Amino acid sequence: MLHRFFETTQPIHYALYSGLVIVAGFTSVFWFEQLSFQTVTTVLGLVFLLLLTQFILIKNELTQNSSYAFMSMSVLLCLLFPDVFSDWLWLANLLIFMSLRRLLSMRTRHSILAKIFDASFWITIASLIEPKFCLFFLPVFVGVFLWARNNYRFWVIPFLGITTVLIISWVIQLYFNIDLLPRLILSSSYEFAGSHVLQLHWVSILLLSFIVAGIILYVGSIISVIHKTRAKYSVLFFYSLVSAIIFLWLDKNQTASQLLLFLPTVLFLNYIFTSSSNRVLKIILVLIPIAILVVRTIFIL
């Protein structure tokens, strides 16, 4: 059965879904774009982001040995082509995913100082690419509050990570004449230019709907969530909330910025898939991201 294929995680899944993104990416390159360093880096970077996402889900026990989230993320990543080649927003998202990995690993309570510093370090670099990504410091401080609030040093470490990146950026700007800091500190970068909110693409509306449903589901079940896992789901809750806010705030190509919504959407769909025993519902859930990709591809072509 189709749903049984997604209820396990085997090496074939890694090859299949990574290959899907690679094929979709390079097909878009040869069909719509010119082969260049940026296009090749983007395709390979999204494959790495896909594998990193699967690692985060498995390491933090969010998938229950299911490959459905892996499949959903790979199919949704294909939605980004060819629009994702227009800027480096995907790289900023990759850095945010790297910070989320370190942030969620704080639940082990080992090397907390290093993990807070790393998370803050990656978010600050992502903010150099897109200044509005600085809002992702909210999940960092939520994580500090949940796992390490009794030690004042943990509250200071995020600012140390910010300072480290700013110093490195200043040195690079000084010796290589590359403008990094002006983009981050320019006040006009933070103005809300949300006229595009009223003209959201149907895919964006669908992804946002999944996130809203997931947030409502979490808030409604927060009491029943066991204490051991409540902290990590709280961090993911604030991550999803910030992702939705930044997506609505960004005045950019909507397709490229949809990457912000993918992880929260995949988490919600995966929760339904793994918690339901209805085979028909599972098949429908499998077909949802595939149908979105097919319909959007038809519109592009």
Side-chain angles (χ1 to χ4, degrees):
M1 293 294 292
L2 182 62
H3 71 279
R4 290 182 180 176
F5 177 76
F6 299 102
E7 289 181 341
T8 59
T9 302
Q10 303 294 336
I12 183 63
H13 294 105
Y14 290 87
L16 179 63
Y17 303 141
S18 299
L20 175 64
V21 176
I22 292 174
V23 170
F26 283 108
T27 299
S28 298
V29 170
F30 294 118
W31 190 271
F32 299 102
E33 303 282 337
Q34 291 183 347
L35 188 64
S36 64
F37 173 77
Q38 180 174 350
T39 55
V40 173
T41 304
T42 300
V43 174
L44 297 180
L46 288 179
V47 173
F48 177 72
L49 185 146
L50 173 66
L51 298 175
L52 176 61
T53 303
Q54 179 68 357
F55 175 80
I56 292 174
L57 296 178
I58 292 178
K59 191 71 173 179
N60 295 280
E61 301 175 350
L62 298 170
T63 61
Q64 300 181 10
N65 263 344
S66 167
S67 67
Y68 173 73
F70 200 11
M71 182 277 294
S72 300
M73 190 69 179
S74 63
V75 174
L76 291 174
L77 281 177
C78 295
L79 290 173
L80 299 177
F81 301 113
D83 303 287
V84 71
F85 297 125
S86 60
D87 55 37
W88 293 94
L89 192 62
W90 67 268
L91 179 57
N93 279 273
L94 176 60
L95 295 172
I96 294 299
F97 278 38
M98 293 174 65
S99 70
L100 180 63
R101 179 187 73 86
R102 296 295 282 169
L103 196 58
L104 290 175
S105 66
M106 286 172 57
R107 64 189 177 88
T108 62
R109 301 185 184 277
H110 296 304
S111 305
I112 291 182
L113 284 175
K115 292 173 181 177
I116 297 175
F117 178 85
D118 290 347
S120 304
F121 185 86
W122 296 126
I123 292 174
T124 307
I125 296 179
S127 300
L128 293 177
I129 301 174
E130 175 47 62
K132 297 180 180 68
F133 276 43
C134 64
L135 289 180
F136 279 108
F137 277 105
L138 175 60
V140 172
F141 286 105
V142 169
V144 173
F145 176 80
L146 292 173
W147 287 303
R149 60 178 175 271
N150 295 327
N151 192 324
Y152 75 91
R153 292 182 303 165
F154 297 137
W155 293 97
V156 176
I157 291 300
F159 300 101
L160 181 60
I162 295 173
T163 303
T164 301
V165 174
L166 293 181
I167 292 175
I168 295 175
S169 301
W170 178 76
V171 173
I172 293 176
Q173 181 174 306
L174 182 65
Y175 287 95
F176 296 96
N177 196 28
I178 301 176
D179 292 333
L180 295 175
L181 297 181
R183 176 172 174 78
L184 181 64
I185 64 178
L186 190 62
S187 60
S188 61
S189 299
Y190 298 92
E191 293 179 358
F192 183 80
S195 60
H196 69 289
V197 172
L198 299 178
Q199 303 174 350
L200 286 177
H201 192 274
W202 66 271
V203 176
S204 301
I205 295 175
L206 185 60
L207 296 176
L208 284 170
S209 300
F210 285 136
I211 293 178
V212 171
I215 290 175
I216 293 174
L217 182 65
Y218 172 77
V219 173
S221 61
I222 183 63
I223 298 178
S224 61
V225 176
I226 62 176
H227 180 72
K228 183 178 179 180
T229 61
R230 189 177 299 168
K232 69 178 180 182
Y233 283 112
S234 297
V235 171
L236 289 171
F237 167 81
F238 282 98
Y239 170 84
S240 302
L241 187 62
V242 170
S243 297
I245 292 173
I246 295 178
F247 173 78
L248 294 173
W249 195 359
L250 282 175
D251 188 19
K252 290 194 172 188
N253 181 291
Q254 287 186 31
T255 304
S257 58
Q258 282 172 359
L259 183 56
L260 280 164
L261 309 179
F262 284 176
L263 182 58
T265 299
V266 166
L267 287 172
F268 173 64
L269 292 177
N270 180 75
Y271 172 79
I272 298 177
F273 184 87
T274 55
S275 62
S276 174
S277 59
N278 190 316
R279 294 183 179 182
V280 176
L281 176 60
K282 289 187 175 183
I283 293 175
I284 293 175
L285 289 173
V286 169
L287 295 177
I288 284 177
I290 298 176
I292 294 175
L293 176 61
V294 171
V295 173
R296 184 180 178 275
T297 302
I298 293 175
F299 275 112
I300 291 179
L301 298 178

